[in-house]
Amino acid sequence: MKDRVGIVGVGLMGHGIARNVVAHGYTLTALEHPGNQPLEELTQQGAKTTPSLKALAEASDIVILCVTGSPEVEAVLTQGGGVLEGLRAGSVVIDCSTSVPASTARMAEAVTAVGSSFIDAPMTRTAQHAREGRLNLLVGGDAEVLAGVRPVLECFAESIVHAGPVGAGHALKLLHNFVSLGAAAVIAEAAACAARVAIDPSLFVEVLSGGGGGGAALDRMRPYIIDRDPTGLQFYMSNALKDLRYYVEMASDQRAFHEIADSVASTLRLGVQEAGPRALVPELASLLTERVEPI
């Protein structure tokens, strides 16, 4: 029989994950939460819902967490009536959120203490890839535990990389997001300066594409730079800022250099302050174009 799956966090990414798990014939229970995307598509496919974290864990062999970050993961697991209270021996918690590795280690210990297993499996790629079942997963945890849950992960991922022990997946995700979001912020700042010196946006993108500025970050920023279409990178600036803060925290814990990350975080913080938490990362280009720096 297939494992029973529970999911906490049916947002932009979690909805695609849940949709594919159900489509592959798994029994799914989703947590009812105000931050969810509409659940009708899932319930029409046979998914169940519950407002109780404990009940969700009791009904599941595998619990997938797809929430904002470390504070939310800790709350979901440890609050009264939370997932830890409902886990049964032999269950597995899969944390697909983006979290600080130090917190991940603590939560893994808490899950292990009740007789269950924990792996971190943060995602790269976009909500569209989640819907298509084509995410990339960076997994930290025991290889045997990963092997046991791999069939579920393969429902929504086309690439699964075992990064190392618990926490390694989250560490690798933070490294990835620093580079990818840092590149997007650099491109946004350059696009703003290009506008000031009257360089045509299409020419700006064309020249970058043909040289050292080409790549995934430019491809995702291109629609906004040329046509003010932000859908190429549907990632909230507030989430980007959170990820950069987590990266700086991880680097600081390891006494690693992080001056560039500090600057990227500062730029994203400005974007959130001026455009709000729901502004998308590509919108940084126009915000910086409009901003006049003091002499």
Side-chain angles (χ1 to χ4, degrees):
M1 293 180 63
K2 290 190 173 184
D3 291 313
R4 299 170 301 162
V5 180
I7 185 167
V8 180
V10 189
L12 285 174
M13 302 298 284
H15 192 279
I17 291 173
R19 177 177 179 271
N20 282 288
V21 169
V22 173
H24 281 78
Y26 286 89
T27 298
L28 180 76
T29 303
L31 182 74
E32 298 169 11
H33 187 271
N36 285 340
Q37 295 290 300
L39 297 177
E40 286 80 2
E41 180 183 0
L42 300 179
T43 55
Q44 288 171 3
Q45 291 178 300
K48 303 174 184 177
T49 67
T50 177
S52 166
L53 288 164
K54 180 179 178 182
L56 181 143
E58 289 173 339
S60 306
D61 303 302
I62 296 171
V63 177
I64 298 172
L65 308 182
C66 191
V67 295
T68 303
S70 292
E72 291 78 14
V73 171
E74 294 182 8
V76 163
L77 289 172
T78 65
Q79 66 181 268
V83 167
L84 284 177
E85 292 186 11
L87 285 177
R88 297 170 295 99
S91 298
V92 181
V93 174
I94 303 173
D95 182 10
C96 290
S97 315
T98 300
S99 299
V100 180
S103 170
T104 301
R106 292 193 302 271
M107 293 302 97
E109 289 178 1
V111 170
T112 301
V114 298
S116 298
S117 300
F118 181 103
I119 63 173
D120 46 301
M123 309 161 281
T124 66
R125 291 191 159 179
T126 66
Q128 181 61 34
H129 291 111
R131 186 168 180 83
E132 295 169 354
R134 298 175 50 234
L135 291 171
N136 295 331
L137 298 182
L138 311 172
V139 180
D142 183 85
E144 290 187 6
V145 177
L146 170 57
V149 300
R150 182 177 283 271
V152 172
L153 299 181
E154 289 176 341
C155 293
F156 55 89
E158 69 176 7
S159 173
I160 301 171
V161 175
H162 188 202
V166 166
H170 281 148
L172 190 54
K173 171 65 182 293
L174 294 178
L175 289 162
H176 171 276
N177 278 20
F178 167 48
V179 173
S180 61
L181 294 170
V186 167
I187 291 168
E189 186 172 307
C193 187
R196 293 290 178 88
V197 296
I199 296 296
D200 179 82
S202 296
L203 180 61
F204 169 74
V205 170
E206 179 185 341
V207 170
L208 289 186
S209 298
L218 180 62
D219 290 342
R220 292 172 181 172
M221 294 288 288
R222 177 197 309 263
Y224 191 81
I225 293 171
I226 296 176
D227 296 318
R228 289 299 186 255
D229 174 8
T231 58
L233 182 51
Q234 296 186 60
F235 198 70
Y236 295 137
M237 266 193 256
S238 54
N239 284 344
L241 175 59
K242 179 261 300 179
D243 289 359
L244 262 293
R245 285 180 27 245
Y246 284 1
Y247 175 84
V248 169
E249 182 176 340
M250 178 179 74
S252 298
D253 288 345
Q254 301 301 318
R255 301 183 67 183
F257 190 85
H258 53 80
E259 295 298 318
I260 295 173
D262 288 338
S263 295
V264 175
S266 178
T267 300
L268 289 168
R269 188 175 300 109
L270 173 67
V272 172
Q273 289 171 350
E274 295 197 357
R278 308 282 287 187
L280 298 174
V281 169
E283 296 177 69
L284 196 59
S286 55
L287 290 172
L288 297 179
T289 301
E290 296 163 4
R291 185 174 179 84
V292 178
E293 290 299 295
I295 296 175

